Amino acid sequence: MWHKAKKLAVTMADITKKSACRQLLPWIRPIINHFWWSCSTCRGSVDTLLKWWMAILHHINNKHIWPGGRCRHPEGVTEIENKKWLERDSEAFKQLRKVVTNREWCGTIHFYTNCKQTWAIENFFSHTLLHYCPKANSYSYDSYRIRNILAVMDHSNHLGRMPQVGDDDDSYAQAQVSRRTKQWVAYERKTPKDFKYIPDLMAACLHKTYGVPEKLFSKSRKSLELDKVAKNLSGDKNPRSRLLLAEMKSRKNTGTDASQ
């Protein structure tokens, strides 16, 4: 779901780069929200999902009742601030209709009838795991496994964090501008992590290792198996950069002499 909605946002943002389609810019967020709503309320029916998804083409023309359907929002809805209804003969509407009725888009929409979301996994990878296992570094198998365990413990112990509130008991909101939609969005700021489980974890580690000989701490079987795998794609050791550079220069000199 998240990737499909992101693809929709990227496509719409590219369209609004044209001067004739600037009117679509404030509609990007409502169109994405409509896609989420359509997937979450279709109850597993592809036909219902397509019917409700196509309804955006009527709503955006300020037509909320049409032959064979109607909008699901309350009656008497008025134009939202900073948005204008699109005319059916406008270039912006024609480009939107191409996106909404795209054969490839509608052909894969049946994968989203159950509205399965991966935001929790994405949140764990982006905000927790990458702090313990930055992609710029390399790790042994045992080290990477332990870092993953620590990341899971961190994530699990801070799942229930409440929004941070001020003196007026209102939650802090952090606002930022979306680079694609050029619109303001707000997020609740969570209370800082307290890491109260760390003292118990350290005590458990000391209790488990106290008095144990150092020789008993060795690499795991999986780590020993991975040590036998070639360290690089060539399968050979690094012959040193200076030797490689010298060979490259000699090839260039040989090619120059041959051309002369």
Side-chain angles (χ1 to χ4, degrees):
M1 281 296 302
W2 182 83
H3 294 282
K4 190 75 168 178
K6 181 180 179 181
K7 182 179 180 180
L8 177 61
V10 172
T11 304
M12 296 296 298
D14 291 339
I15 292 175
T16 55
K17 292 179 180 178
K18 303 177 181 178
S19 58
C21 301
R22 289 288 182 181
Q23 289 178 299
L24 274 175
L25 191 58
W27 283 101
I28 293 179
R29 180 59 58 183
I31 291 173
I32 296 174
N33 292 341
H34 176 73
F35 173 71
W36 280 92
W37 175 86
S38 300
C39 295
S40 61
T41 57
C42 69
R43 298 182 179 180
S45 173
V46 179
D47 295 336
T48 303
L49 174 54
L50 286 173
K51 179 181 177 180
W52 288 351
W53 169 238
M54 297 294 177
I56 191 66
L57 296 178
H58 298 280
H59 174 82
I60 208 167
N61 291 147
N62 198 17
K63 294 182 179 179
H64 309 290
I65 299 177
W66 59 92
R70 62 179 295 275
C71 288
R72 297 292 171 174
H73 57 71
E75 295 184 3
V77 65
T78 56
E79 183 178 355
I80 305 175
E81 186 180 359
N82 298 328
K83 298 180 181 63
K84 295 182 179 179
W85 303 114
L86 301 185
E87 300 293 336
R88 295 191 70 86
D89 58 349
S90 64
E91 181 64 22
F93 178 79
K94 293 178 181 178
Q95 293 297 327
L96 174 63
R97 183 169 55 191
K98 289 181 181 180
V99 174
V100 173
T101 61
N102 181 270
R103 179 178 298 181
E104 181 181 357
W105 175 273
C106 295
T108 58
I109 207 170
H110 63 277
F111 293 114
Y112 306 95
T113 54
N114 294 324
C115 196
K116 298 296 183 181
Q117 304 181 30
T118 59
W119 64 267
I121 300 176
E122 300 287 347
N123 181 62
F124 168 71
F125 275 92
S126 301
H127 300 289
T128 305
L129 185 60
L130 289 182
H131 288 283
Y132 289 86
C133 307
K135 293 182 178 180
N137 302 334
S138 60
Y139 312 95
S140 65
Y141 172 80
D142 291 335
S143 176
Y144 185 73
R145 184 169 178 268
I146 293 173
R147 286 173 176 269
N148 274 261
I149 294 174
L150 291 174
V152 171
M153 294 177 65
D154 184 350
H155 181 73
S156 300
N157 280 275
H158 296 109
L159 275 178
R161 282 191 300 158
M162 300 299 294
Q164 190 174 359
V165 296
D167 296 334
D168 53 357
D169 293 334
D170 289 335
S171 58
Y172 283 109
Q174 182 175 353
Q176 63 184 40
V177 178
S178 173
R179 289 181 294 178
R180 291 192 179 93
T181 64
K182 305 296 188 298
Q183 296 178 359
W184 284 94
V185 292
Y187 302 94
E188 283 186 335
R189 187 186 301 176
K190 300 293 185 180
T191 55
K193 296 181 179 180
D194 51 24
F195 296 99
K196 292 182 178 179
Y197 65 95
I198 292 296
D200 293 336
L201 177 62
M202 295 178 63
C205 291
L206 292 173
H207 179 74
K208 190 72 175 179
T209 58
Y210 182 76
V212 179
E214 185 178 356
K215 63 180 180 180
L216 295 181
F217 295 96
S218 59
K219 291 185 177 180
S220 63
R221 182 182 302 177
K222 184 66 176 180
S223 181
L224 293 174
E225 292 176 357
L226 292 175
D227 287 343
K228 299 178 182 179
V229 180
K231 300 297 183 181
N232 52 67
L233 296 177
S234 68
D236 300 327
K237 294 182 178 181
N238 187 351
R240 293 190 306 174
S241 301
R242 291 184 178 181
L243 293 178
L244 293 174
L245 184 61
E247 291 179 2
M248 183 184 67
K249 289 183 177 180
S250 63
R251 288 197 302 270
K252 289 183 177 180
N253 294 333
T254 303
T256 304
D257 296 340
S259 63
Q260 293 177 352

